[in-house]
Every structure is written in C-alpha cells, then in structure tokens.
Amino acid sequence: MQPVTKLRLLGFRLAVIALAAYWIAIFVGTHLPKIPKTLPAVNDKVMHFTAFFGLATLLCYCTTSPRVWRRFPIIVAMCLVYACVDELTQSFVRGRHSDVMDFLADAAGTLTAVILYATVRWAWLGRHERSGSVHSTSAT
C-alpha cells in the first residue's frame, strides 16, 4: 500500500491537491462579507488558529527536503506572510476589517502545528531508527 503522499490524481500528489483546496477555502472564507449563519457560533480567534494550524500541518506534510529541519522555518515564514496579506486584504471587503489579534491567532496556530509536527516526526523517526525498522534504499 502506498503512503498518502504518493497517491496521485491526474498526475498530482493527492496531498498537494488537498493543500491547494484547503488554501483556496481559507482564502475564500476569510474574504466573504459575512460568515454564513448556518455555521455554529465559534470564537473568531479559534477559527483563525484552526485554519492556520491546518494550513501549516498540510504544508509540513506535503513538503519534502533532504534538509528536513530547514523547511520548518520556511513554512512558518510562508504562513506568517500569508497571514499578513490575508489580514490586509480583508480590509477591502465590506463588513471585514484587519485585526492584529487575528494575525496573532494565525501565528499561534502556525507555530503550534509546526512544533507539534516536528516533535512527532522526531519521535517517530527516533523510535524507528532505534528499533532498526528503517530500511535502506540500496538495491539487494
């Protein structure tokens, strides 16, 4: 069975398609004039935290690099730049405004996701290396 990141749909990795769809949904959701009344009442900061937690988690999951620990600061920077752009462009939408506290909730969600992902990855890799279950890629 292939890992989820290897599954492809129309030539694209399924995880990348999920990331693109999620990012588009965040953009559209934050630029609607009003939140639809059909959604349950949730604190605005919790929504910001959750949205950017999901975005950062998907970015961590989708990206690969031989320098695995170098990518995490880049992901944080990308999310924070996007959070700034998102907050600034909301001021152009009727009924919306920019809020520094929203940006801080975005940053908290991003940092929490990246730290949690890095910690779980480090623990998982360490456990598998200690048990000897990490296989080499050399041909036998």
Side-chain angles (χ1 to χ4, degrees):
M1 187 160 115
Q2 291 182 323
V4 175
T5 57
K6 302 285 185 192
L7 294 177
R8 294 189 175 274
L9 181 65
L10 301 174
F12 295 100
R13 285 182 21 216
L14 195 55
V16 174
I17 293 171
L19 171 64
Y22 186 80
W23 209 326
I24 290 168
I26 288 175
F27 180 81
V28 169
T30 60
H31 289 81
L32 292 174
K34 288 187 175 183
I35 297 175
K37 301 252 187 230
T38 58
L39 294 175
V42 177
N43 184 310
D44 179 48
K45 306 310 177 248
V46 171
M47 289 172 50
H48 277 269
F49 179 93
T50 304
F52 276 80
F53 182 92
L55 179 62
T57 301
L58 281 170
L59 281 167
C60 287
Y61 185 69
C62 288
T63 56
T64 57
S65 170
R67 297 179 182 139
V68 67
W69 300 109
R70 185 184 230 181
R71 74 181 174 166
F72 294 129
I74 293 170
I75 289 169
V76 169
M78 284 175 53
C79 286
L80 294 181
V81 167
Y82 177 67
C84 284
V85 170
D86 186 52
E87 285 303 316
L88 292 173
T89 57
Q90 280 183 27
S91 63
F92 299 118
V93 178
R94 187 179 329 147
R96 301 287 251 177
H97 63 282
S98 297
D99 185 3
V100 173
M101 296 307 287
D102 286 349
F103 172 78
L104 293 177
D106 298 342
T110 297
L111 290 171
T112 302
V114 170
I115 290 168
L116 183 63
Y117 187 91
T119 302
V120 168
R121 181 180 170 85
W122 173 77
W124 183 81
L125 286 176
R127 187 185 72 182
H128 280 64
E129 286 174 357
R130 282 190 302 274
S131 68
S133 63
V134 176
H135 302 289
S136 67
T137 57
S138 64
T140 55

